[in-house]
Structure formats: structure tokens, C-alpha cells
Amino acid sequence: MKFLEFVKKHCLLVIALVIILIVLIVGAVVAKNLFFSSHGDIFGNRLDGIEEHKMTNEHLDKIESELENLEQIISVDNNIVGRRADFIIKVKSDVDIITSKGFADKILEFLPDDVKSFYDIQVMLVNEDSENQNYPVIGYKHKTKTGFTF
């Protein structure tokens, strides 16, 4: 009974509180849908056209096998995320920086032009001697550029 008496006595206050509560609930739902969308691709439409310019396993296997055949290289790993191709090249301890930077350009030799102009390519050069102060070296090639920037 006391509750009903309070509501009758403070009618305008109760109406204002109900309206504020409704606005807060609607605002929270709208904000959740706008800012925390859980459906759809995390890349949005940035991957449009990726099927026409696919970096295939054949390309990646060719790059790995050709680079690993060089005696200065120990291993080559890769990872494709969206429109970015990451390569980690581990070189022997006696390889200098200039020579190892040339290995990044070798990657481009085994990719078709349409793939090079679609993907950003990142190369990390690491040395088997972890105490070598010149390593690691990271190179980046934007899809609109023709070579790497270190």
C-alpha cells in the first residue's frame, strides 16, 4: 500500500524515472548493435576481390622450397592474414644484413604481379645467433610499391 501511495503522491517523478529508464535501455541496445557487432567478417569489405588474387599454397610452397635450397637460409615460415602475407626467414650466423635483405626480394620473384599488387608483404629476418645485434630486421612492402622498405 505504501508503494501505491508514494506513486500517487510523486506521479511526475515516477513518470520521469520510467521515461529515463526506457531511454537508457534503448540507448544501450542501439550502442551495443553499433559498436559491438558480433556478426559478419572481422575484415568487413576489405577482402573484396581476394578470390581473384589468391596467394595459393603452390606459391607459398615454391617460395619456401626455393629459399630453403639456398645454403645461407635455415628455415622459412609464412602466415597469411587477410591481405597481409608474413614471412619469417631464419638465416645462418655468418650472413650479413645486405645479403639477408636480398632474400626478401626473392619472395617477389615467385609471386605473380596481381598477387604482389593485392597483398601487403612483411618479412622478418632473424639470425640463428640470437646475440647478433644486427638482427632481427623487418621489411615491409605495400601493395602499391614494387620493393621492400626496411
Side-chain angles (χ1 to χ4, degrees):
M1 273 308 192
K2 290 184 181 183
F3 177 72
L4 291 177
E5 290 174 14
F6 178 81
V7 171
K8 287 180 184 178
K9 187 174 182 180
H10 303 310
C11 183
L12 292 176
L13 178 64
V14 171
I15 291 173
L17 289 175
V18 169
I19 290 173
I20 290 172
L21 184 64
I22 291 172
V23 168
L24 286 175
I25 291 172
V26 169
V29 169
V30 169
K32 180 187 175 282
N33 288 337
L34 284 177
F35 298 115
F36 303 107
S37 178
S38 62
H39 60 281
D41 192 3
I42 61 171
F43 292 104
N45 63 355
R46 292 175 288 183
L47 297 183
D48 289 348
I50 198 167
E51 293 302 321
E52 292 86 34
H53 309 285
K54 198 79 169 159
M55 189 176 295
T56 64
N57 286 336
E58 292 172 3
H59 295 130
L60 299 173
D61 292 342
K62 177 82 170 165
I63 291 168
E64 281 189 40
S65 66
E66 292 293 328
L67 288 178
E68 287 177 349
N69 284 339
L70 300 173
E71 67 180 51
Q72 297 110 329
I73 294 179
I74 296 171
S75 65
V76 178
D77 295 316
N78 64 67
N79 185 33
I80 308 296
V81 179
R83 290 177 72 158
R84 191 185 76 226
D86 301 327
F87 293 91
I88 299 174
I89 301 174
K90 187 172 188 177
V91 297
K92 291 187 177 178
S93 60
D94 61 342
V95 178
D96 63 278
I97 293 292
I98 295 170
T99 304
S100 62
K101 286 180 180 179
F103 298 142
D105 293 327
K106 289 235 181 250
I107 291 172
L108 300 178
E109 293 177 15
F110 304 113
L111 294 173
D113 289 337
D114 69 316
V115 171
K116 288 187 270 190
S117 64
F118 189 79
Y119 286 87
D120 293 340
I121 302 172
Q122 217 168 237
V123 176
M124 179 183 237
L125 303 166
V126 294
N127 195 298
E128 72 177 340
D129 178 13
S130 61
E131 295 182 17
N132 189 330
Q133 297 296 318
N134 295 325
Y135 289 91
V137 176
I138 298 176
Y140 182 77
K141 182 200 140 334
H142 189 264
K143 64 184 177 185
T144 60
K145 304 295 181 188
T146 57
F148 283 92
T149 303
F150 287 92

